[in-house]
């Protein structure tokens, strides 16, 4: 069983940066990642990384603005976001699961409770 606790969300203005963290504990699978869900929308893949840190994948819309990293010593997943836009407003969820998570597949994935990111124009 795995537990995921996100933190770091908040309200920022367009163009500003934000850093999200996800503390993982328990039997952590091979891949960790981030999804987001905007109001009225579905859950959308943001990016993921293997526990070894050797492989990362991002959604196309990230376009170099977001960076995922893993502090292995602390079992903490990080999402660094820069140049934020109003369309980045969403609840951001941490997830962990099998390798399919690298491509946004949610089968067998465990979820955190989510953290709200709001970007004002």
């Amino acid at each position: 069983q795995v537990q995921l606790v996100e933190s770091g969300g908040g309200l920022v203005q367009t163009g500003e940066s934000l850093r999200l963290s996800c503390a993982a504990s328990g039997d952590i699978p091979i891949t960790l990642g981030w999804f987001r869900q905007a109001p009225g929308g579905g859950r959308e893949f943001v990016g993921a990384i293997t526990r070894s840190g050797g492989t990362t994948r991002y959604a196309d819309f990230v376009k170099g603005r977001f960076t995922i990293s893993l502090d292995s010593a602390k079992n903490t997943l990080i999402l660094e976001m820069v140049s934020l836009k109003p369309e980045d407003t969403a609840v951001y969820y941490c997830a962990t699961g099998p390798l399919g998570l690298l491509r946004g597949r949610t089968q067998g994935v465990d979820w955190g409770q989510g953290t709200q990111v709001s970007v004002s124009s």
Side-chain angles (χ1 to χ4, degrees), residues 15-30:
E16 293 187 338
S17 302
L18 207 57
R19 184 176 189 262
L20 305 183
S21 298
C22 172
S25 60
D27 188 11
I28 304 168
I30 194 171

Side-chain angles (χ1 to χ4, degrees), residues 5-10 16-23 32-37 44-49 56-59 61-71 75-84 88-95 114-117:
V5 180
E6 301 99 330
S7 61
E16 293 187 338
S17 302
L18 207 57
R19 184 176 189 262
L20 305 183
S21 298
C22 172
L32 299 99
W34 292 95
F35 287 70
R36 70 184 188 181
Q37 187 166 11
E44 177 181 42
F45 175 69
V46 174
I49 186 170
T56 55
R57 293 195 186 276
Y58 296 95
F61 70 80
V62 168
K63 293 181 180 178
R65 298 187 299 124
F66 295 0
T67 303
I68 291 174
S69 60
L70 181 64
D71 183 338
N75 280 338
T76 299
L77 181 69
I78 305 295
L79 178 63
E80 300 272 7
M81 303 183 290
V82 301
S83 302
L84 283 163
D88 293 318
T89 294
V91 177
Y92 283 70
Y93 294 91
C94 177
T115 185
Q116 177 70 47
V117 171

